[in-house]
């Protein structure tokens, strides 16, 4: 009986998700726990459209740093200074099912909405993180024409600093190193989830995060100060 009620709650949650997605637009208003809304606005979210709209002289500094660890495997989002972060570093982790975990209602919920973690930071720590972002070239000009594939590793950052919009990308492969800010972010990360190797995992025939035979992959290209629509 308990199992039946749990199944009904899961179905109701899915119906709610579908209903919300039906009225959702494609412009991001920040992190969404709704997977369909999140996917529909993913380009806008990575582009920081909501942060750009709020950025003007006198606006608070804020950033959204996103790690694409091969989209179907893991995505990590770090936000600081946004309304959602409330003076802390907000981390959201999105992952595929853990193979050995099996299916549970808890794993379904985490797969759909992700795991949110709030990391307390002092003003000194926040200042140091902004400085390492600057040292990493976050406030420079992202190279137009750079293409980011969903099944690869890369970082993007968007935000507002001293009243100016900024946007940058860092593609990763076996020949490139993680950007300078990585050590600071890895030290703050509380997910317990390992960062993936730059070496691509082998293709398998299993229905798993490492199955690269599926369609649904996407690519984004950098234009003038943001992603090309």
């Amino acid at each position: 009986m308990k199992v039946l009620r749990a199944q009904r709650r899961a179905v109701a949650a899915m119906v709610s998700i579908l209903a919300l997605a039906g009225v959702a637009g494609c412009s991001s208003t920040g992190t969404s726990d709704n997977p369909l809304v999140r996917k529909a606005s993913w380009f806008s979210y990575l582009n920081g459209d909501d942060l750009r709209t709020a950025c003007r002289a006198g606006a608070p500094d804020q950033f959204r740093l996103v790690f694409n660890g091969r989209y179907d495997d893991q995505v990590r989002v770090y936000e600081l200074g946004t309304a959602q972060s409330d003076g802390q570093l907000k981390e959201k982790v999105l992952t595929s099912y853990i193979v050995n975990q099996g299916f549970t209602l808890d794993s379904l919920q985490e797969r759909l909405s992700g795991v949110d973690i709030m990391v307390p930071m002092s003003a000194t720590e926040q200042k140091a993180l902004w400085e390492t972002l600057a040292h990493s070239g976050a406030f420079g000009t992202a190279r137009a024409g750079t293409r980011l594939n969903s099944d690869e590793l890369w970082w993007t950052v968007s935000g507002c600093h001293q009243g100016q919009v900024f946007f940058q990308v860092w593609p990763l492969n076996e020949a490139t190193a993680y950007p300078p800010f990585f050590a600071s972010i890895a030290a703050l990360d509380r997910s317990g989830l390992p960062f993936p190797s730059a070496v691509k995992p082998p293709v398998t025939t299993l229905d798993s995060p490492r199955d690269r035979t599926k369609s649904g992959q996407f690519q984004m290209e950098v234009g003038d100060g943001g992603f090309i629509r």
Side-chain angles (χ1 to χ4, degrees), residues 146-150 152 154 156 169 171 218-221 227:
T146 301
R147 295 181 178 180
L148 304 177
N149 293 310
S150 62
E152 296 175 346
W154 39 264
T156 72
V169 301
F218 57 87
Q219 182 184 82
M220 297 179 298
E221 182 176 348
F227 289 116

Side-chain angles (χ1 to χ4, degrees), residues 52-71:
R52 293 169 186 262
T53 299
C55 189
R56 59 182 64 87
D61 289 350
Q62 53 185 336
F63 72 73
R64 174 177 299 140
L65 182 65
V66 180
F67 174 65
N68 185 84
R70 304 185 181 95
Y71 186 81

Side-chain angles (χ1 to χ4, degrees), residues 42-185:
W42 191 239
F43 279 57
S44 175
Y45 181 74
L46 289 179
N47 206 48
D49 288 349
D50 55 317
L51 306 185
R52 293 169 186 262
T53 299
C55 189
R56 59 182 64 87
D61 289 350
Q62 53 185 336
F63 72 73
R64 174 177 299 140
L65 182 65
V66 180
F67 174 65
N68 185 84
R70 304 185 181 95
Y71 186 81
D72 288 335
D73 284 5
Q74 64 168 270
V75 175
R76 308 182 196 220
V77 181
Y78 305 90
E79 292 187 326
L80 184 64
T82 62
Q84 293 88 356
S85 65
D86 191 26
Q88 304 178 82
L89 181 70
K90 178 180 179 181
E91 177 182 5
K92 176 178 278 291
V93 181
L94 306 167
T95 64
S96 293
Y97 293 117
I98 300 173
V99 175
N100 293 327
Q101 176 178 314
F103 176 83
T104 67
L105 290 179
D106 287 340
S107 69
L108 172 63
Q109 175 64 27
E110 291 183 2
R111 179 67 179 94
L112 294 177
S113 63
V115 177
D116 291 320
I117 305 167
M118 303 303 291
V119 184
M121 293 187 70
S122 67
T124 300
E125 291 172 325
Q126 293 181 45
K127 182 175 182 290
L129 185 52
W130 277 103
E131 288 174 349
T132 192
L133 278 176
H135 179 62
S136 302
F139 305 142
T141 303
R143 186 168 65 85
T146 301
R147 295 181 178 180
L148 304 177
N149 293 310
S150 62
D151 64 339
E152 296 175 346
L153 304 183
W154 39 264
W155 291 84
T156 72
V157 70
S158 57
C160 181
H161 180 63
Q162 297 180 350
Q164 298 294 319
V165 170
F166 65 93
F167 172 84
Q168 188 58 274
V169 301
W170 296 269
L172 297 176
N173 55 51
E174 295 178 53
T176 60
Y178 272 84
F181 63 75
F182 173 70
S184 298
I185 286 294

Side-chain angles (χ1 to χ4, degrees), residues 3-51:
V3 173
L4 181 58
R5 284 198 296 268
Q7 289 175 338
R8 287 175 177 171
R9 286 197 297 270
V11 171
M14 290 299 294
V15 171
S16 177
I17 287 170
L18 292 172
L20 284 172
V23 299
C26 292
S27 294
S28 173
T29 56
T31 309
S32 176
D33 287 341
N34 183 315
L36 299 183
V37 171
R38 186 171 59 239
K39 191 166 186 178
S41 62
W42 191 239
F43 279 57
S44 175
Y45 181 74
L46 289 179
N47 206 48
D49 288 349
D50 55 317
L51 306 185

